[in-house]
Amino acid sequence: MYRRILISALMALVCLTLASCFKDEAPNTECDILEAWVGDEFASHFLQKNDMRIADVPSGEQQLMFTVKHLEELPPMAIHFQITPGATIVPENGSLQDFSKGPVTYTVTSEDGQWHRTYQVLFQEMTHPSNEYDFEYFELNDKEKYYVWYEMMNGSRSDIWATGNEGYNIARPNAAADEYPSTYDSNGYEGNCVKLTTCSTGSWGKTFKKPIAAGNLFFGKFNSKYALTNTLMCTEMGIPFTKKPLKVTGYYKYKPGDVFTDKDFKEVPSRIDEASIYSVLYLNHDSEGNSIVLHGDDVLSSQMIVRKAQVASLPPTDVWTQFEMVYEGNASIDEQLLEHRGYSLALVFSSSKTGDTFEGAVGSTLYIDKVKLVFDE
């Protein structure tokens, strides 16, 4: 009898202990929007279904933008969000909001109530892409850590450019803005220009076998959530385009770093670093309508690519030198699909050609200015 009572008492104690553990579990401190979408009842305002959803929102993103046919005809819209577990969002998830007069600010508060993030959600009318880029529009990010670039199209801001600066911030959070891989220089071909430099990631990089970070600038977004696991997935290449590209021209200066190293940061005396400039036009959805985004691992090899352009060689030079690359490819392009944003264009600049695999030379520097896209009218 005593043995049974003892066992029962012990079991009760275990249950109470477990209950206490569950009860005392710390509330979630995260406060992110993970995904956003518009309900199907508003489908008539969009060109295609892909435009109605923003999936896998990058962790550093603060602006979510939907593209519609006509902004002036936009009724109050209901945006649905997937947010981090336990978090709350204001205005209410799925509530009708008027976006016709500008962005609406949403605030996500963590489960523990101690943290919050604000997002601007806005709608823009579909516009034809700009074809000239002077890199005069840039600013420090919201935390004033590093520079970001954008374009002004028809009086509205368009965040078409991305860099790996957000990833570098993980490795060197105390670096000054001008010490990041992607920054600006006031001595451009005309006015300001982009300055891309391959940088050491310090002790963090040696620990995680990511010893360098190439300076880069590209059409698309950077998703830092893959920075420690699969860095090639961080770069989400391309933006929807409605014109057929023929060629890209621009001006550059380039100086390779002194010592080329491999992914283990070992010197490779026989190699000299090279810069890289390339572009691809690709189908941004598959045959079943699923959204497609190219990343660092398939941006030059995907079966979805219909046109490709690449600068064969960028010899070192300390004077502004013109480059040109022509799009090649025999795959047919559906004109109606193109008009309805069914293709995306990726345009990429990098200070180290193999920087995506952490091979290159610290100090390699590529300057870019006055880039022009030529379209088939």
Side-chain angles (χ1 to χ4, degrees):
M1 176 65 73
Y2 176 76
R3 180 182 177 86
R4 288 182 181 177
I5 294 174
L6 180 60
I7 292 174
S8 298
L10 288 172
M11 290 180 66
L13 181 62
V14 169
C15 290
L16 286 172
T17 302
L18 287 173
S20 176
C21 288
F22 288 132
K23 184 177 179 180
D24 295 337
E25 183 178 351
N28 198 339
T29 60
E30 296 180 342
C31 48
D32 299 317
I33 291 177
L34 307 176
E35 191 169 353
W37 66 94
V38 181
D40 290 340
E41 64 270 26
F42 300 105
S44 62
H45 296 279
F46 296 83
L47 280 171
Q48 60 173 327
K49 200 163 185 176
N50 283 352
D51 293 334
M52 298 175 64
R53 181 178 293 271
I54 302 174
D56 198 16
V57 176
S59 59
E61 193 67 64
Q62 289 188 295
Q63 185 182 81
L64 306 181
M65 183 179 294
F66 294 91
T67 300
V68 291
K69 295 176 183 177
H70 304 291
L71 194 58
E72 61 183 19
E73 300 174 1
L74 197 68
M77 306 286 277
I79 312 299
H80 304 272
F81 302 95
Q82 179 189 353
I83 57 179
T84 46
T88 57
I89 188 167
V90 176
E92 186 180 354
N93 200 339
S95 62
L96 288 172
Q97 302 294 326
D98 184 3
F99 295 91
S100 64
K101 297 179 177 62
V104 173
T105 299
Y106 287 80
T107 301
V108 182
T109 303
S110 61
E111 184 180 24
D112 66 359
Q114 300 300 308
W115 304 92
H116 72 272
R117 287 189 62 188
T118 58
Y119 293 83
Q120 281 199 326
V121 179
L122 65 156
F123 286 71
Q124 67 170 5
E125 190 168 318
M126 191 194 76
T127 58
H128 290 297
S130 173
N131 69 325
E132 294 186 2
Y133 308 102
D134 298 330
F135 307 111
E136 298 295 339
Y137 298 106
F138 59 91
E139 64 185 11
L140 287 171
N141 75 320
D142 63 306
K143 296 179 181 179
E144 298 190 349
K145 289 287 189 177
Y146 51 81
Y147 289 100
V148 295
W149 283 260
Y150 60 95
E151 297 294 330
M152 295 300 296
M153 298 180 184
N154 299 330
S156 298
R157 173 171 172 153
S158 183
D159 292 290
I160 63 174
W161 294 109
T163 74
N165 280 347
E166 185 182 342
Y168 192 73
N169 180 248
I170 296 173
R172 293 193 59 204
N174 296 320
D178 60 0
E179 296 175 330
Y180 275 74
S182 302
T183 182
Y184 82 98
D185 191 274
S186 58
N187 299 307
Y189 183 82
E190 288 183 5
N192 298 302
C193 68
V194 174
K195 178 184 178 184
L196 307 176
T197 306
T198 301
C199 298
S200 167
T201 53
S203 57
W204 180 94
K206 292 179 181 179
T207 300
F208 290 96
K209 295 189 179 297
K210 298 172 173 57
I212 66 165
N216 58 24
L217 182 75
F218 59 93
F219 283 165
K221 295 184 180 297
F222 185 89
N223 194 340
S224 62
K225 81 175 189 177
Y226 299 106
L228 297 179
T229 55
N230 187 353
T231 52
L232 292 177
M233 291 295 292
C234 290
T235 49
E236 300 176 354
M237 306 285 200
I239 57 174
F241 245 62
T242 57
K243 293 185 178 181
K244 190 186 303 182
L246 295 178
K247 67 178 180 179
V248 182
T249 64
Y251 290 87
Y252 84 97
K253 295 191 296 184
Y254 184 63
K255 180 182 179 181
D258 295 331
V259 180
F260 190 99
T261 56
D262 63 16
K263 61 183 179 180
D264 296 316
F265 212 52
K266 294 180 180 179
E267 184 176 346
V268 186
S270 60
R271 293 188 64 178
I272 297 176
D273 208 0
E274 300 175 74
S276 179
I277 302 175
Y278 62 88
S279 178
V280 298
L281 181 73
Y282 67 91
L283 283 162
N284 57 30
H285 63 281
D286 61 22
S287 58
E288 297 179 355
N290 299 310
S291 179
I292 298 293
V293 176
L294 300 189
H295 301 85
D297 59 346
D298 63 354
V299 68
L300 289 173
S301 60
S302 172
Q303 297 297 314
M304 308 302 285
I305 295 171
V306 296
R307 295 289 185 273
K308 183 186 297 185
Q310 194 163 9
V311 179
S313 177
L314 292 162
T317 174
D318 58 1
V319 297
W320 285 107
T321 303
Q322 190 172 33
F323 69 84
E324 178 178 298
M325 58 182 181
V326 177
Y327 288 88
E328 299 178 344
N330 298 320
S332 62
I333 294 178
D334 186 320
E335 298 289 347
Q336 186 175 4
L337 193 60
L338 183 67
E339 183 181 352
H340 286 73
R341 295 162 51 88
Y343 295 86
S344 289
L345 187 76
L347 177 60
V348 183
F349 305 93
S350 176
S351 58
S352 290
K353 191 173 184 177
T354 53
D356 55 348
T357 56
F358 307 103
E359 295 183 323
V362 171
S364 293
T365 306
L366 173 67
Y367 298 87
I368 296 292
D369 203 4
K370 301 295 288 184
V371 173
K372 183 177 181 179
L373 272 164
V374 179
F375 302 113
D376 182 355
E377 297 294 346

